[in-house]
Amino acid sequence: MDEVKFTPVLMIRPALDDGTGALRNADIKVIGLHGKNDIEIQNVIEIASRRARRDNLFDQVVVADLTNKSNLEMIQEQVARALNLRLSDGMWYRWRCYQTGTSIIADRARQICEQIRRKGRILIILHNLFQSFDIEQVGIPFGDTHGGCKILLASTNEEVIKHKMKTDTIISL
């Protein structure tokens, strides 16, 4: 008897269809993508990104790959890098924030938010989430604050996606 072999695309097709549907749905702003295998998650992200560009769903697709040591400042750096944004930093910047009583995290979030708001329709993909965080503290506007911004949160950590992040829909691989 011949063994049946499935190509990775066939195995992830239902998730791709769900993901594409979620990207097209105006009521869904934050999508959670969970899977046990990081390679499958990466494949879904790559194919969904290509489909989004091909179908002209977004003006820009931004992918930030996080690490298990990511804190808010590191997440902001990753998002800013993906947006080609150079965040204010350095000793004098930190001193000015200290003198004015401005939180560095809050000021950097303001810079990121301003950059994203200048964009039209934007898809922000945060890949490899290991812990929960407040999306707004990073500076990513969504929902009523930026109707053209969608966020795709991807992780192998089921607890983070299903219970700790505020998502409108969850796609499981």
Side-chain angles (χ1 to χ4, degrees):
M1 182 177 212
D2 290 295
E3 229 180 280
V4 177
K5 293 185 179 181
F6 295 97
T7 62
V9 173
L10 291 176
M11 291 169 46
I12 61 175
R13 172 154 274 142
L16 280 171
D17 293 342
D18 290 346
T20 304
L23 291 175
R24 290 179 186 281
N25 187 332
D27 295 329
I28 297 175
K29 301 297 181 198
V30 182
I31 303 161
L33 175 62
H34 165 261
K36 297 194 184 327
N37 183 330
D38 196 46
I39 294 170
E40 287 180 346
I41 291 173
Q42 185 65 35
N43 285 342
V44 170
I45 288 171
E46 287 177 17
I47 295 169
S49 297
R50 280 197 306 258
R51 284 184 180 181
R53 285 185 187 102
R54 179 196 69 201
D55 297 346
N56 198 28
L57 298 176
F58 301 96
D59 299 321
Q60 186 172 7
V61 177
V62 173
V63 180
D65 200 8
L66 310 179
T67 69
N68 62 349
K69 295 185 178 7
S70 294
N71 58 30
L72 276 177
E73 226 174 304
M74 292 172 84
I75 293 168
Q76 287 177 327
E77 281 291 333
Q78 288 288 344
V79 171
R81 191 172 303 124
L83 289 165
N84 293 320
L85 170 66
R86 188 173 182 279
L87 292 172
S88 299
D89 201 10
M91 183 177 69
W92 293 113
Y93 167 73
R94 291 178 182 272
W95 175 252
R96 183 179 57 85
C97 286
Y98 173 76
Q99 287 293 327
T100 60
T102 304
S103 159
I104 293 169
I105 297 289
D107 189 63
R108 291 164 59 116
R110 179 193 54 75
Q111 293 173 57
I112 291 169
C113 187
E114 286 175 3
Q115 178 75 4
I116 292 172
R117 283 194 174 138
R118 284 188 208 114
K119 311 287 182 188
R121 302 165 301 155
I122 184 168
L123 171 62
I124 298 175
I125 301 171
L126 301 178
H127 183 228
N128 285 333
L129 264 70
F130 287 91
Q131 61 193 12
S132 63
F133 60 90
D134 185 342
I135 293 171
E136 290 179 287
Q137 276 192 313
V138 172
I140 301 172
F142 64 96
D144 295 336
T145 59
H146 190 301
C149 183
K150 284 211 186 214
I151 304 164
L152 174 63
L153 306 171
S155 179
T156 55
N157 187 329
E158 182 177 13
E159 179 71 17
V160 169
I161 293 295
K162 289 189 174 179
H163 303 292
K164 294 189 176 179
M165 296 301 292
K166 296 175 184 164
T167 57
D168 298 322
T169 189
I170 296 173
I171 300 165
S172 294
L173 296 175

Short mmCIF file of all heavy atoms in Angstrom, two decimals, residues 104-165:
data_model
loop_
_atom_site.label_atom_id
_atom_site.label_comp_id
_atom_site.label_asym_id
_atom_site.label_seq_id
_atom_site.Cartn_x
_atom_site.Cartn_y
_atom_site.Cartn_z
N ILE A 104 10.26 56.73 28.77
CA ILE A 104 10.92 56.38 27.51
C ILE A 104 10.01 55.48 26.68
O ILE A 104 9.85 55.68 25.48
CB ILE A 104 12.28 55.72 27.78
CG1 ILE A 104 13.23 56.75 28.39
CG2 ILE A 104 12.87 55.11 26.51
CD1 ILE A 104 14.52 56.17 28.93
N ILE A 105 9.39 54.50 27.34
CA ILE A 105 8.48 53.59 26.65
C ILE A 105 7.34 54.37 26.01
O ILE A 105 6.98 54.16 24.85
CB ILE A 105 7.92 52.51 27.62
CG1 ILE A 105 9.04 51.63 28.16
CG2 ILE A 105 6.82 51.69 26.97
CD1 ILE A 105 9.64 50.67 27.16
N ALA A 106 6.75 55.30 26.76
CA ALA A 106 5.61 56.08 26.25
C ALA A 106 6.04 56.98 25.09
O ALA A 106 5.30 57.12 24.10
CB ALA A 106 4.99 56.91 27.37
N ASP A 107 7.21 57.59 25.17
CA ASP A 107 7.67 58.47 24.10
C ASP A 107 7.98 57.67 22.83
O ASP A 107 7.63 58.09 21.72
CB ASP A 107 8.90 59.27 24.53
CG ASP A 107 9.24 60.35 23.53
OD1 ASP A 107 8.41 61.26 23.34
OD2 ASP A 107 10.32 60.25 22.90
N ARG A 108 8.61 56.52 22.99
CA ARG A 108 8.89 55.68 21.83
C ARG A 108 7.58 55.14 21.23
O ARG A 108 7.45 55.05 20.01
CB ARG A 108 9.81 54.53 22.23
CG ARG A 108 11.21 55.03 22.57
CD ARG A 108 12.02 54.00 23.32
NE ARG A 108 12.18 52.77 22.61
CZ ARG A 108 13.33 52.29 22.19
NH1 ARG A 108 14.44 52.93 22.42
NH2 ARG A 108 13.38 51.14 21.55
N ALA A 109 6.61 54.81 22.08
CA ALA A 109 5.29 54.37 21.59
C ALA A 109 4.64 55.47 20.77
O ALA A 109 4.04 55.21 19.72
CB ALA A 109 4.39 53.97 22.76
N ARG A 110 4.79 56.71 21.21
CA ARG A 110 4.25 57.86 20.45
C ARG A 110 4.89 57.94 19.07
O ARG A 110 4.21 58.14 18.07
CB ARG A 110 4.48 59.15 21.24
CG ARG A 110 3.98 60.41 20.53
CD ARG A 110 4.50 61.68 21.17
NE ARG A 110 5.95 61.73 21.31
CZ ARG A 110 6.81 61.95 20.32
NH1 ARG A 110 6.38 62.13 19.08
NH2 ARG A 110 8.11 61.97 20.54
N GLN A 111 6.21 57.75 19.00
CA GLN A 111 6.92 57.80 17.71
C GLN A 111 6.43 56.70 16.77
O GLN A 111 6.19 56.95 15.58
CB GLN A 111 8.43 57.64 17.93
CG GLN A 111 9.08 58.78 18.67
CD GLN A 111 10.53 58.46 18.99
OE1 GLN A 111 11.32 58.17 18.09
NE2 GLN A 111 10.89 58.50 20.26
N ILE A 112 6.29 55.49 17.30
CA ILE A 112 5.82 54.36 16.49
C ILE A 112 4.39 54.61 16.02
O ILE A 112 4.06 54.41 14.85
CB ILE A 112 5.92 53.04 17.29
CG1 ILE A 112 7.39 52.67 17.49
CG2 ILE A 112 5.17 51.91 16.59
CD1 ILE A 112 7.62 51.55 18.48
N CYS A 113 3.54 55.06 16.94
CA CYS A 113 2.14 55.32 16.60
C CYS A 113 2.02 56.37 15.50
O CYS A 113 1.24 56.20 14.56
CB CYS A 113 1.40 55.76 17.87
SG CYS A 113 -0.38 55.92 17.65
N GLU A 114 2.80 57.45 15.59
CA GLU A 114 2.78 58.49 14.56
C GLU A 114 3.19 57.92 13.21
O GLU A 114 2.58 58.25 12.18
CB GLU A 114 3.69 59.65 14.95
CG GLU A 114 3.13 60.52 16.05
CD GLU A 114 4.12 61.60 16.51
OE1 GLU A 114 5.23 61.71 15.93
OE2 GLU A 114 3.77 62.32 17.45
N GLN A 115 4.22 57.09 13.20
CA GLN A 115 4.69 56.49 11.95
C GLN A 115 3.61 55.59 11.34
O GLN A 115 3.36 55.64 10.13
CB GLN A 115 5.97 55.69 12.21
CG GLN A 115 6.53 54.98 11.01
CD GLN A 115 7.23 55.93 10.04
OE1 GLN A 115 7.37 57.12 10.30
NE2 GLN A 115 7.65 55.40 8.92
N ILE A 116 2.98 54.77 12.16
CA ILE A 116 1.94 53.85 11.66
C ILE A 116 0.73 54.63 11.16
O ILE A 116 0.15 54.28 10.13
CB ILE A 116 1.55 52.83 12.75
CG1 ILE A 116 2.72 51.88 13.01
CG2 ILE A 116 0.30 52.06 12.34
CD1 ILE A 116 2.53 50.96 14.20
N ARG A 117 0.36 55.68 11.85
CA ARG A 117 -0.81 56.47 11.42
C ARG A 117 -0.59 57.16 10.09
O ARG A 117 -1.54 57.47 9.38
CB ARG A 117 -1.18 57.48 12.50
CG ARG A 117 -1.89 56.82 13.65
CD ARG A 117 -2.56 57.83 14.54
NE ARG A 117 -3.34 57.13 15.53
CZ ARG A 117 -3.41 57.45 16.79
NH1 ARG A 117 -2.74 58.50 17.23
NH2 ARG A 117 -4.16 56.78 17.62
N ARG A 118 0.68 57.41 9.73
CA ARG A 118 0.99 58.01 8.43
C ARG A 118 0.75 57.01 7.30
O ARG A 118 0.59 57.40 6.15
CB ARG A 118 2.44 58.47 8.38
CG ARG A 118 2.68 59.74 9.13
CD ARG A 118 4.10 60.25 8.87
NE ARG A 118 4.50 61.01 10.03
CZ ARG A 118 5.48 60.68 10.86
NH1 ARG A 118 6.21 59.62 10.63
NH2 ARG A 118 5.76 61.42 11.90
N LYS A 119 0.76 55.74 7.65
CA LYS A 119 0.54 54.69 6.65
C LYS A 119 -0.96 54.57 6.42
O LYS A 119 -1.76 54.92 7.26
CB LYS A 119 1.08 53.34 7.14
CG LYS A 119 2.48 53.37 7.68
CD LYS A 119 3.49 53.51 6.58
CE LYS A 119 4.90 53.49 7.16
NZ LYS A 119 5.90 53.81 6.19
N GLY A 120 -1.32 54.03 5.30
CA GLY A 120 -2.73 53.77 5.03
C GLY A 120 -3.15 52.47 5.70
O GLY A 120 -3.21 52.36 6.92
N ARG A 121 -3.36 51.49 4.89
CA ARG A 121 -3.74 50.16 5.38
C ARG A 121 -2.46 49.39 5.66
O ARG A 121 -1.63 49.21 4.78
CB ARG A 121 -4.58 49.43 4.35
CG ARG A 121 -5.85 50.19 3.96
CD ARG A 121 -6.46 49.64 2.70
NE ARG A 121 -5.48 49.74 1.59
CZ ARG A 121 -5.48 48.98 0.52
NH1 ARG A 121 -6.41 48.07 0.35
NH2 ARG A 121 -4.57 49.12 -0.42
N ILE A 122 -2.31 48.94 6.90
CA ILE A 122 -1.07 48.28 7.29
C ILE A 122 -1.37 47.00 8.08
O ILE A 122 -2.26 46.98 8.92
CB ILE A 122 -0.16 49.24 8.09
CG1 ILE A 122 1.19 48.58 8.41
CG2 ILE A 122 -0.84 49.73 9.35
CD1 ILE A 122 2.22 49.56 8.95
N LEU A 123 -0.63 45.95 7.76
CA LEU A 123 -0.71 44.69 8.50
C LEU A 123 0.59 44.56 9.27
O LEU A 123 1.67 44.58 8.69
CB LEU A 123 -0.87 43.50 7.55
CG LEU A 123 -0.76 42.11 8.18
CD1 LEU A 123 -1.85 41.88 9.23
CD2 LEU A 123 -0.82 41.02 7.10
N ILE A 124 0.47 44.42 10.59
CA ILE A 124 1.63 44.25 11.45
C ILE A 124 1.61 42.83 11.98
O ILE A 124 0.64 42.43 12.65
CB ILE A 124 1.64 45.27 12.60
CG1 ILE A 124 1.70 46.68 12.01
CG2 ILE A 124 2.80 44.99 13.54
CD1 ILE A 124 1.59 47.78 13.03
N ILE A 125 2.65 42.07 11.67
CA ILE A 125 2.75 40.69 12.11
C ILE A 125 3.82 40.61 13.19
O ILE A 125 4.98 40.98 12.95
CB ILE A 125 3.10 39.75 10.94
CG1 ILE A 125 2.03 39.84 9.85
CG2 ILE A 125 3.28 38.32 11.43
CD1 ILE A 125 2.38 39.13 8.56
N LEU A 126 3.42 40.18 14.37
CA LEU A 126 4.36 39.98 15.46
C LEU A 126 4.52 38.48 15.64
O LEU A 126 3.60 37.79 16.07
CB LEU A 126 3.85 40.64 16.75
CG LEU A 126 3.60 42.15 16.65
CD1 LEU A 126 3.04 42.68 17.95
CD2 LEU A 126 4.88 42.89 16.28
N HIS A 127 5.68 37.99 15.28
CA HIS A 127 5.95 36.55 15.24
C HIS A 127 6.81 36.14 16.44
O HIS A 127 7.66 36.89 16.88
CB HIS A 127 6.66 36.23 13.93
CG HIS A 127 6.93 34.80 13.73
ND1 HIS A 127 8.15 34.33 13.34
CD2 HIS A 127 6.16 33.70 13.87
CE1 HIS A 127 8.11 33.02 13.23
NE2 HIS A 127 6.92 32.61 13.57
N ASN A 128 6.58 34.96 16.95
CA ASN A 128 7.34 34.38 18.06
C ASN A 128 7.02 35.03 19.40
O ASN A 128 7.93 35.28 20.20
CB ASN A 128 8.86 34.43 17.82
CG ASN A 128 9.31 33.41 16.83
OD1 ASN A 128 8.69 32.37 16.66
ND2 ASN A 128 10.40 33.70 16.14
N LEU A 129 5.76 35.30 19.66
CA LEU A 129 5.39 35.83 20.97
C LEU A 129 5.64 34.77 22.03
O LEU A 129 5.19 33.64 21.90
CB LEU A 129 3.89 36.19 21.00
CG LEU A 129 3.55 37.63 20.71
CD1 LEU A 129 3.81 37.95 19.26
CD2 LEU A 129 2.13 37.91 21.07
N PHE A 130 6.34 35.15 23.08
CA PHE A 130 6.59 34.22 24.18
C PHE A 130 5.88 34.68 25.45
O PHE A 130 5.76 33.92 26.40
CB PHE A 130 8.10 34.12 24.45
CG PHE A 130 8.82 33.33 23.41
CD1 PHE A 130 9.36 33.96 22.30
CD2 PHE A 130 8.93 31.96 23.51
CE1 PHE A 130 10.02 33.25 21.33
CE2 PHE A 130 9.59 31.23 22.54
CZ PHE A 130 10.14 31.87 21.45
N GLN A 131 5.45 35.94 25.45
CA GLN A 131 4.78 36.48 26.62
C GLN A 131 3.77 37.51 26.17
O GLN A 131 3.83 38.02 25.05
CB GLN A 131 5.79 37.11 27.56
CG GLN A 131 6.54 38.28 26.92
CD GLN A 131 7.74 38.73 27.71
OE1 GLN A 131 8.16 38.04 28.62
NE2 GLN A 131 8.30 39.87 27.38
N SER A 132 2.84 37.82 27.05
CA SER A 132 1.84 38.82 26.71
C SER A 132 2.40 40.22 26.96
O SER A 132 3.34 40.40 27.73
CB SER A 132 0.57 38.60 27.53
OG SER A 132 0.85 38.77 28.89
N PHE A 133 1.83 41.20 26.29
CA PHE A 133 2.19 42.60 26.48
C PHE A 133 1.03 43.44 25.98
O PHE A 133 0.16 42.96 25.27
CB PHE A 133 3.50 42.96 25.77
CG PHE A 133 3.44 42.75 24.28
CD1 PHE A 133 3.03 43.76 23.43
CD2 PHE A 133 3.79 41.52 23.73
CE1 PHE A 133 2.97 43.55 22.07
CE2 PHE A 133 3.73 41.31 22.37
CZ PHE A 133 3.32 42.32 21.54
N ASP A 134 1.03 44.70 26.34
CA ASP A 134 -0.01 45.63 25.93
C ASP A 134 0.38 46.21 24.56
O ASP A 134 1.37 46.93 24.45
CB ASP A 134 -0.17 46.73 26.97
CG ASP A 134 -1.31 47.67 26.68
OD1 ASP A 134 -1.80 47.72 25.52
OD2 ASP A 134 -1.74 48.38 27.61
N ILE A 135 -0.41 45.89 23.55
CA ILE A 135 -0.11 46.34 22.18
C ILE A 135 -0.04 47.86 22.10
O ILE A 135 0.81 48.42 21.42
CB ILE A 135 -1.17 45.79 21.20
CG1 ILE A 135 -1.04 44.26 21.11
CG2 ILE A 135 -1.03 46.41 19.82
CD1 ILE A 135 -2.16 43.60 20.35
N GLU A 136 -0.92 48.53 22.83
CA GLU A 136 -0.93 50.00 22.79
C GLU A 136 0.32 50.59 23.43
O GLU A 136 0.80 51.64 23.01
CB GLU A 136 -2.19 50.53 23.45
CG GLU A 136 -3.43 50.24 22.61
CD GLU A 136 -4.70 50.74 23.25
OE1 GLU A 136 -5.15 50.12 24.23
OE2 GLU A 136 -5.22 51.76 22.76
N GLN A 137 0.90 49.92 24.44
CA GLN A 137 2.13 50.41 25.05
C GLN A 137 3.30 50.34 24.08
O GLN A 137 4.25 51.10 24.21
CB GLN A 137 2.46 49.62 26.31
CG GLN A 137 1.75 50.10 27.54
CD GLN A 137 2.34 49.47 28.79
OE1 GLN A 137 2.56 48.27 28.84
NE2 GLN A 137 2.58 50.29 29.79
N VAL A 138 3.23 49.42 23.13
CA VAL A 138 4.27 49.34 22.11
C VAL A 138 4.13 50.51 21.14
O VAL A 138 5.12 50.99 20.60
CB VAL A 138 4.19 47.99 21.35
CG1 VAL A 138 5.13 47.95 20.17
CG2 VAL A 138 4.47 46.84 22.29
N GLY A 139 2.91 50.99 20.97
CA GLY A 139 2.66 52.11 20.06
C GLY A 139 1.90 51.71 18.82
O GLY A 139 1.84 52.46 17.85
N ILE A 140 1.31 50.53 18.84
CA ILE A 140 0.57 50.05 17.67
C ILE A 140 -0.89 50.44 17.83
O ILE A 140 -1.59 49.89 18.68
CB ILE A 140 0.71 48.53 17.52
CG1 ILE A 140 2.19 48.14 17.37
CG2 ILE A 140 -0.10 48.03 16.32
CD1 ILE A 140 2.43 46.65 17.39
N PRO A 141 -1.37 51.39 17.01
CA PRO A 141 -2.78 51.76 17.09
C PRO A 141 -3.63 50.75 16.34
O PRO A 141 -3.22 50.20 15.32
CB PRO A 141 -2.82 53.12 16.39
CG PRO A 141 -1.72 53.03 15.39
CD PRO A 141 -0.65 52.15 16.01
N PHE A 142 -4.79 50.47 16.86
CA PHE A 142 -5.68 49.53 16.19
C PHE A 142 -7.11 49.84 16.60
O PHE A 142 -7.35 50.68 17.45
CB PHE A 142 -5.31 48.08 16.49
CG PHE A 142 -5.47 47.69 17.93
CD1 PHE A 142 -6.61 47.06 18.37
CD2 PHE A 142 -4.48 47.97 18.85
CE1 PHE A 142 -6.77 46.72 19.69
CE2 PHE A 142 -4.63 47.63 20.18
CZ PHE A 142 -5.78 47.00 20.60
N GLY A 143 -8.03 49.16 15.95
CA GLY A 143 -9.44 49.38 16.27
C GLY A 143 -9.88 50.76 15.83
O GLY A 143 -9.57 51.21 14.73
N ASP A 144 -10.56 51.46 16.71
CA ASP A 144 -11.07 52.79 16.40
C ASP A 144 -9.97 53.83 16.22
O ASP A 144 -10.17 54.84 15.56
CB ASP A 144 -12.04 53.26 17.49
CG ASP A 144 -13.29 52.38 17.54
OD1 ASP A 144 -13.63 51.76 16.51
OD2 ASP A 144 -13.92 52.33 18.61
N THR A 145 -8.79 53.60 16.82
CA THR A 145 -7.71 54.58 16.71
C THR A 145 -7.00 54.53 15.37
O THR A 145 -6.32 55.47 15.00
CB THR A 145 -6.68 54.41 17.85
OG1 THR A 145 -6.13 53.09 17.77
CG2 THR A 145 -7.32 54.64 19.20
N HIS A 146 -7.12 53.42 14.64
CA HIS A 146 -6.54 53.30 13.29
C HIS A 146 -7.26 52.18 12.56
O HIS A 146 -6.86 51.02 12.64
CB HIS A 146 -5.05 53.02 13.35
CG HIS A 146 -4.36 53.12 12.01
ND1 HIS A 146 -4.72 52.35 10.93
CD2 HIS A 146 -3.37 53.91 11.58
CE1 HIS A 146 -3.95 52.64 9.90
NE2 HIS A 146 -3.11 53.60 10.28
N GLY A 147 -8.29 52.53 11.86
CA GLY A 147 -9.13 51.54 11.18
C GLY A 147 -8.41 50.74 10.12
O GLY A 147 -8.83 49.65 9.77
N GLY A 148 -7.28 51.24 9.60
CA GLY A 148 -6.57 50.54 8.55
C GLY A 148 -5.48 49.62 9.04
O GLY A 148 -4.75 49.03 8.27
N CYS A 149 -5.34 49.48 10.36
CA CYS A 149 -4.28 48.67 10.93
C CYS A 149 -4.83 47.35 11.44
O CYS A 149 -5.80 47.31 12.19
CB CYS A 149 -3.61 49.42 12.09
SG CYS A 149 -2.23 48.56 12.83
N LYS A 150 -4.21 46.26 10.98
CA LYS A 150 -4.54 44.92 11.49
C LYS A 150 -3.28 44.34 12.09
O LYS A 150 -2.17 44.62 11.64
CB LYS A 150 -5.03 44.00 10.39
CG LYS A 150 -6.44 44.29 9.98
CD LYS A 150 -7.14 43.05 9.53
CE LYS A 150 -8.50 43.48 8.99
NZ LYS A 150 -9.52 42.55 9.22
N ILE A 151 -3.48 43.49 13.10
CA ILE A 151 -2.36 42.89 13.79
C ILE A 151 -2.53 41.38 13.77
O ILE A 151 -3.61 40.88 14.09
CB ILE A 151 -2.28 43.39 15.24
CG1 ILE A 151 -2.21 44.92 15.26
CG2 ILE A 151 -1.08 42.78 15.97
CD1 ILE A 151 -2.51 45.53 16.61
N LEU A 152 -1.47 40.69 13.39
CA LEU A 152 -1.44 39.23 13.43
C LEU A 152 -0.40 38.83 14.47
O LEU A 152 0.78 39.16 14.33
CB LEU A 152 -1.08 38.64 12.07
CG LEU A 152 -0.87 37.14 11.99
CD1 LEU A 152 -2.15 36.38 12.35
CD2 LEU A 152 -0.39 36.73 10.62
N LEU A 153 -0.86 38.18 15.53
CA LEU A 153 0.02 37.73 16.60
C LEU A 153 0.24 36.23 16.42
O LEU A 153 -0.73 35.48 16.39
CB LEU A 153 -0.63 37.99 17.97
CG LEU A 153 -1.07 39.43 18.24
CD1 LEU A 153 -1.88 39.49 19.52
CD2 LEU A 153 0.14 40.34 18.31
N ALA A 154 1.48 35.79 16.31
CA ALA A 154 1.76 34.39 16.06
C ALA A 154 2.69 33.83 17.12
O ALA A 154 3.67 34.48 17.51
CB ALA A 154 2.41 34.22 14.68
N SER A 155 2.36 32.62 17.60
CA SER A 155 3.16 32.01 18.65
C SER A 155 2.94 30.51 18.72
O SER A 155 1.87 30.01 18.35
CB SER A 155 2.79 32.63 20.00
OG SER A 155 3.53 32.04 21.05
N THR A 156 3.94 29.82 19.23
CA THR A 156 3.77 28.41 19.56
C THR A 156 3.25 28.27 20.99
O THR A 156 2.90 27.18 21.41
CB THR A 156 5.11 27.64 19.44
OG1 THR A 156 6.08 28.28 20.26
CG2 THR A 156 5.58 27.59 18.00
N ASN A 157 3.18 29.37 21.72
CA ASN A 157 2.70 29.38 23.09
C ASN A 157 1.19 29.59 23.09
O ASN A 157 0.71 30.71 22.94
CB ASN A 157 3.41 30.46 23.90
CG ASN A 157 3.08 30.41 25.37
OD1 ASN A 157 1.99 30.02 25.77
ND2 ASN A 157 4.03 30.83 26.18
N GLU A 158 0.46 28.50 23.25
CA GLU A 158 -1.00 28.54 23.19
C GLU A 158 -1.59 29.45 24.27
O GLU A 158 -2.55 30.18 24.02
CB GLU A 158 -1.55 27.12 23.34
CG GLU A 158 -3.04 27.02 23.25
CD GLU A 158 -3.52 25.58 23.33
OE1 GLU A 158 -2.74 24.69 23.68
OE2 GLU A 158 -4.70 25.36 23.02
N GLU A 159 -1.02 29.42 25.45
CA GLU A 159 -1.53 30.23 26.57
C GLU A 159 -1.50 31.72 26.24
O GLU A 159 -2.44 32.45 26.51
CB GLU A 159 -0.68 29.94 27.82
CG GLU A 159 -1.08 30.72 29.05
CD GLU A 159 -2.40 30.28 29.66
OE1 GLU A 159 -2.88 29.17 29.36
OE2 GLU A 159 -2.95 31.06 30.44
N VAL A 160 -0.41 32.17 25.63
CA VAL A 160 -0.28 33.59 25.28
C VAL A 160 -1.35 34.00 24.28
O VAL A 160 -2.04 35.00 24.47
CB VAL A 160 1.13 33.90 24.73
CG1 VAL A 160 1.20 35.29 24.12
CG2 VAL A 160 2.16 33.76 25.83
N ILE A 161 -1.51 33.23 23.21
CA ILE A 161 -2.46 33.59 22.16
C ILE A 161 -3.90 33.47 22.63
O ILE A 161 -4.72 34.35 22.39
CB ILE A 161 -2.23 32.71 20.90
CG1 ILE A 161 -0.87 33.04 20.28
CG2 ILE A 161 -3.35 32.90 19.87
CD1 ILE A 161 -0.72 34.44 19.74
N LYS A 162 -4.23 32.39 23.28
CA LYS A 162 -5.63 32.13 23.62
C LYS A 162 -6.13 32.86 24.86
O LYS A 162 -7.32 33.16 24.96
CB LYS A 162 -5.86 30.63 23.79
CG LYS A 162 -5.80 29.87 22.48
CD LYS A 162 -6.25 28.45 22.64
CE LYS A 162 -6.33 27.76 21.28
NZ LYS A 162 -6.75 26.38 21.41
N HIS A 163 -5.24 33.14 25.82
CA HIS A 163 -5.74 33.65 27.09
C HIS A 163 -5.15 34.99 27.53
O HIS A 163 -5.76 35.68 28.34
CB HIS A 163 -5.50 32.62 28.19
CG HIS A 163 -6.13 31.29 27.89
ND1 HIS A 163 -7.49 31.11 27.86
CD2 HIS A 163 -5.58 30.10 27.58
CE1 HIS A 163 -7.75 29.85 27.56
NE2 HIS A 163 -6.61 29.21 27.37
N LYS A 164 -3.99 35.36 27.01
CA LYS A 164 -3.34 36.56 27.53
C LYS A 164 -3.37 37.76 26.60
O LYS A 164 -3.27 38.89 27.04
CB LYS A 164 -1.90 36.24 27.94
CG LYS A 164 -1.84 35.27 29.10
CD LYS A 164 -0.47 35.11 29.63
CE LYS A 164 -0.50 34.20 30.85
NZ LYS A 164 0.81 33.99 31.40
N MET A 165 -3.48 37.52 25.30
CA MET A 165 -3.54 38.63 24.35
C MET A 165 -5.00 38.83 23.94
O MET A 165 -5.76 37.87 23.86
CB MET A 165 -2.69 38.33 23.12
CG MET A 165 -1.20 38.19 23.39
SD MET A 165 -0.40 39.62 24.14
CE MET A 165 -0.49 40.81 22.82
#
